[in-house]
Amino acid sequence: MANSWKNWALALALTGAGVLAGQAAIAHQGDHWPIGGDMLKMSYNGGSANKFIFKSKGQLNINASSIVNDPTEERSTLVVRGTGAYAGSTGIIELNEDFWTRVGPADAPTGWKYKNPSILYGPYKGIQKINLKSGANGGAMQIVAKGIQWPFAIVGPQDAVQVTLTIGPFSFCAEFSEDRQAEFSVNEEGRVSARAALAPGDCAAVCGNGVTEVGEECDDGNLEDADTCSNLCVGCNPADAEFDSTFEGIQKLFFDNGSAYSCANDICHGSAMEGGLDLRDGASHDSLIGIASTIDPATDRVFPGDQDKSMLYLKLAAKTLTPDDDGVAPDYDLVPGTPMPSGGLTMTEDHLEAIRLWIRGGAPETGVVEGTAELLGSCLPEPTPLDIPQPDVPDPSIGTQFAQPGYVLQSQSEVEGCVASYYDLSAPGAVPANMLVDCPGAFPGTNDHGTNAGKCFTYSGNQLFQDAQSHHSIIHIYSGAYDYTDPGWGTWHCYGGPTPGAACNPANAGSCGSGGVCGGTFAEAVACLGYGAPDASTFGNKMPQFSGSQESTADFGFPDGVYSVLPLKGLIVWNSHAFNLTSQDTEMEAWINLAYTNDTQWPAEGLFDSRYIFTQEVPPFEQREYCATHTFAQDTHLFHLFSHTHKRGIRFQMYLPPQTPCGNGGNTPEGYLRTDPNCAPGDLDDLFFENYDYADAVNLYPDPPMVFEGSVANRTIKFCGLFDNGFNDPATVKTKSGSPEPTGSELLPGGPCDDTARCVAGTRAGLDCEDNGDCPGSTCVLSDNQRSRCLGGTNKGEICDGNDAECPGSVCDACTLLGGVTTEDEMFIPIGTFYIP
């Protein structure tokens, strides 16, 4: 930095002299390097004629010291933004490190060049070239962009146009405005031309560029709002973290004596250890996690993954959440003992929510749960992946445990895929003899040969534990004709343990060592389509589901006398859909614990009504409700019920019988006003199930079970889902830019709106086409529900077919919400378990 201080001193001296070569004398401010602007030309028609040219020369702040940062190794970005009533913006454009080349020697570069080999490649927004070079009389910068990908929509005159190029921690900035004495020859809709702008006194902050600038409290380099640093760059710099983890924040702010609630004071959970609970620093985590509460031994103090099974949360919520006159929140009337904290203190709802998120994230002792920094009002490091601790393995006399091979889930990714594991409990005595029955169905590939051929074990329910990154897990047992040796399962190798990646023998339970799991190859596949042996299919009868959940933990315990069976030897197929929004890779793990039973009166059966799973068609900025019915068989005893939607499914309701059977009868803008009036939402007096949180769905466990008998109407329930596509909050509308392409079958709906035509029917139904000749026996039509629409402006919500010029003041990016397999698309399913005596 020695040379930069010399330049700063030289610039101060020149300030006294006034002007050098027609340029106002300037100086850099810290890591900001303001420069003058010699030329700006912009044109915009939403198509190939879009153009941007910026030139600056003779700049003292463009010198060997200011361009020493290496854009081939450090992050670089470009932002061009306007101000005023018609302000346009490119947003933050990430520059590709591979497109940069050095000018001058490696140890002392005199400049950098950026060349994009294809301006049509969307992520780089049409940028063609950038030249940055120092010189004896001042350095120069040139930026050229053009084509349909350039995003700066000029819908009217700009009060100012600011150009900011960032390389690592350093930013170059220029501004064309009256304040900077710029000369505008054109400034109107579609065109801006200006010249001779003086350098600004300092660079305006660009939130999201990864550089904490003047006026910003932080800048974490992303546009995620629910993290340590908001999209307004309000928050804290993770380098200044007050606590190393979420739990340390909870300990210091809530538990420690002298904190907000002083839970660890000497007469409560400090030295007195009331109820056996020690909340003092260093002892609290071990005293909470997986330890039965003394007031209700059936409930743990903290059950990682589920706040409703955690006495700590229940006692805090009983005092915090909308208490009745008796001082207890109505949903927590039955929580035993005295609500917490004791005395006249009451925990704030933000603090309670931090406790809830921490528990749902696996109650980690280290690591940061996303969203807790804001709730704790503290600076924390960036969020980390969340792990559910492996549950204890049951005693082999009472149950068994299956482990999912822990596949790698990369940072900032969403994936749905499948992986196989194998188990063998056929050895004599491995399962108690009184828990064995003849299998009700054949498992020829794995179980109908060898020791105890054709035998199954009986169990009374299962518990699923999975890392909190999971959106859902669906666990299948393979019942086909092929063994684990079939190549469809992939190459068997170790996941985790002491030898990850090493080849393993799935028939040898210990071949991967302590903590390792032998599994087939993990393959990205929606609903396991195309995965496994030739006869494997989740849509057939060769891979029935026996467990699964969309939460971190799920308890599928059966009533007395109800049971299910699994073969003594089998292939388990784990269908896992997960996303990792942190900056760290992780391993996605899951476990299932099963409890044996010999009380085998009635087999458990499953409800999974997916007939209307993809029924949604909600235009941008609208909401629609869909209803259908399900008729149970005579004498069905329903003992577990929940729902499944994705994030725009804001409400799921179910109504008691009697109901007239109906299907999804239409798709009107009003949503529930169907051509079949029986598919309108039911009477609120008949409402028996309601869920508002797709990620923490209500699980209903009727005790005694709900019994359905008599007429068809008396055995029919109605279920309705309300889906919101930016109706209540336009910022939540589905967008083309924010919707990943679904992996797997092209026949599935959803994904980004792509503005391409599709075959209406025939052998190529649903596939892309250019004309009717591509669609034998059918026609080629661009369906309105696949066409992109204006995100805002005067034509908000109108069809624009990918052309930003059709959206004055905005862009063509909004999409109709359809059913599909990603979290940006939707599903609509009631799920449950029942038996029929």
Side-chain angles (χ1 to χ4, degrees), residues 178-237:
E178 290 185 4
D179 288 345
R180 307 319 307 158
Q181 301 179 28
E183 301 172 11
F184 283 85
S185 57
V186 181
N187 192 2
E188 61 188 25
E189 181 179 356
R191 294 176 62 208
V192 175
S193 292
R195 59 182 297 273
L198 299 178
D202 197 4
C203 297
V206 177
C207 186
N209 66 352
V211 179
T212 302
E213 300 162 297
V214 175
E216 295 180 339
E217 295 181 11
C218 59
D219 196 316
D220 54 6
N222 65 48
L223 294 179
E224 293 291 334
D225 210 28
D227 58 11
T228 305
C229 186
S230 77
N231 282 350
L232 297 176
C233 283
V234 175
C236 65
N237 187 333

Side-chain angles (χ1 to χ4, degrees), residues 592-674:
I592 297 174
N593 278 5
L594 298 103
Y596 301 139
T597 184
N598 60 2
D599 187 359
T600 55
Q601 301 178 57
W602 310 295
E605 301 184 50
L607 164 67
F608 191 86
D609 193 337
S610 59
R611 293 172 297 163
Y612 309 105
I613 182 174
F614 296 142
T615 194
Q616 303 80 10
E617 185 181 328
V618 187
F621 314 110
E622 293 188 21
Q623 66 178 14
R624 294 185 177 181
E625 188 166 20
Y626 299 85
C627 297
T629 59
H630 179 86
T631 301
F632 290 99
Q634 191 69 249
D635 208 21
T636 292
H637 286 53
L638 181 72
F639 59 86
H640 182 208
L641 188 65
F642 61 105
S643 62
H644 182 78
T645 69
H646 291 174
K647 65 182 182 181
R648 294 183 178 88
I650 62 172
R651 186 181 71 200
F652 200 111
Q653 296 177 319
M654 300 190 203
Y655 300 88
L656 291 167
Q659 302 288 344
T660 301
C662 72
N664 177 31
N667 199 331
T668 67
E670 292 81 5
Y672 60 82
L673 298 179
R674 305 298 186 199

Side-chain angles (χ1 to χ4, degrees), residues 36-119:
D38 286 278
M39 185 185 77
L40 174 72
K41 286 188 176 182
M42 299 195 301
S43 60
Y44 186 86
N45 72 346
S48 58
N50 297 343
K51 184 178 292 185
F52 171 83
I53 301 175
F54 167 78
K55 292 182 179 180
S56 178
K57 60 184 180 180
Q59 301 298 315
L60 294 177
N61 273 349
I62 303 178
N63 53 64
S65 296
S66 66
I67 60 176
V68 71
N69 292 276
D70 187 344
T72 67
E73 296 182 356
E74 299 191 69
R75 183 184 186 219
S76 59
T77 64
L78 175 70
V79 176
V80 181
R81 58 184 177 183
T83 65
Y86 301 100
S89 178
T90 63
I92 299 173
I93 300 175
E94 300 280 349
L95 302 176
N96 189 325
E97 62 184 19
D98 295 331
F99 296 171
W100 287 102
T101 56
R102 180 184 287 105
V103 177
D107 57 347
T110 58
W112 294 94
K113 289 185 177 181
Y114 181 92
K115 186 175 182 180
N116 184 352
S118 174
I119 62 172

